[in-house]
Amino acid sequence: MLVAGSAHAGTLTSGGLSFSDELGGARLLAASGTGTASDPIILIEEMTGPEPALLVVRNDRPGHEHVSPAIGFLALSIVNVIANRGPWRWAGFDLELRTTPDEPSVYTDGLSFDQPQTFHRPAKADRFEQVRQEDEPFDRIEFDGGNVDPRDDLRLAFDILDANGRAVFYLVQRPIVLLARDGPPPDGVQLAALEGRAPPARLR
């Protein structure tokens, strides 16, 4: 059973890290686990709109067994369950790591979706068959080849490595929304058109 670390506004703690939905786009409902391969941190969220969500991750555990005080190394295994509570079908879903809210991660910052393969396993999604991971110039995972209908849940499994053990980083969660051709998209949203994948919506 998942137990939320807080009953109010958007910050939950699990495994010595805190997760916050303070920057909007999704509602964080629950968090559990320690972040190891056998006990991943499980994050439960819901999204009601088509815009990207920005989850704030704060590292509060310098004494944890997976963090070396000498080098600040942090390795996390994550299971992210996201409920589609909006009226649009998701034709894909992207994840991106950032060191600041508005700028993509760069190669030298030590932050990645486990680029060195510490956990020796690829990212997975239960509703998408195709997975593309990009380590340069962005730290990004793209899931497609499936869909998530309204009221359905999407389950993602992925790993994060932060070689510098920074105090805070950001996880962008970006649904790719499939919209009817005869209706305008919501403000700021790109179409995942029938003839190909649209560019991701930009964070504002």
Side-chain angles (χ1 to χ4, degrees):
M1 180 178 179
L2 299 177
V3 179
S6 171
H8 57 280
T11 298
L12 305 178
T13 299
S14 187
L17 292 101
S18 61
F19 303 87
S20 174
D21 61 13
E22 65 198 65
L23 296 181
R27 182 185 176 201
L28 184 60
L29 302 176
S32 68
T34 60
T36 65
S38 59
D39 183 30
I41 288 178
I42 302 177
L43 301 173
I44 309 294
E45 300 174 78
E46 63 179 12
M47 300 181 73
T48 58
E51 68 275 2
L54 195 61
L55 192 68
V56 185
V57 184
R58 294 183 173 92
N59 182 1
D60 302 322
R61 59 175 195 173
H64 191 272
E65 61 180 342
H66 289 280
V67 179
S68 166
I71 63 172
F73 188 86
L74 175 66
L76 293 175
S77 182
I78 304 286
V79 172
N80 196 183
V81 181
I82 307 168
N84 181 0
R85 297 294 180 258
W88 301 283
R89 173 182 291 181
W90 298 346
F93 202 92
D94 294 351
L95 298 174
E96 183 183 336
L97 288 170
R98 294 185 174 183
T99 56
T100 64
D102 301 319
E103 297 293 333
S105 174
V106 297
Y107 178 73
T108 56
D109 63 17
L111 185 65
S112 72
F113 286 108
D114 195 20
Q115 185 176 0
Q117 285 293 293
T118 304
F119 288 93
H120 303 289
R121 60 188 181 189
K124 296 180 180 180
D126 65 345
R127 294 186 178 271
F128 296 111
E129 296 180 356
Q130 300 173 15
V131 181
R132 292 188 295 272
Q133 184 163 335
E134 184 179 4
D135 298 313
E136 299 178 43
F138 308 103
D139 291 308
R140 180 182 296 162
I141 304 175
E142 298 178 345
F143 300 94
D144 59 17
N147 60 75
V148 183
D149 290 324
R151 297 178 298 281
D152 282 345
D153 296 342
L154 170 64
R155 184 182 180 93
L156 307 174
F158 56 93
D159 304 309
I160 293 174
L161 180 70
D162 180 9
N164 295 326
R166 65 193 68 254
V168 60
F169 59 90
Y170 305 87
L171 177 65
V172 183
Q173 302 160 310
R174 185 184 290 113
I176 306 301
V177 177
L178 186 63
L179 299 170
R181 289 178 177 272
D182 56 356
D187 185 34
V189 179
Q190 301 288 341
L191 294 177
L194 295 178
E195 64 269 16
R197 185 186 184 87
R202 292 178 178 269
L203 283 174
R204 294 189 169 190

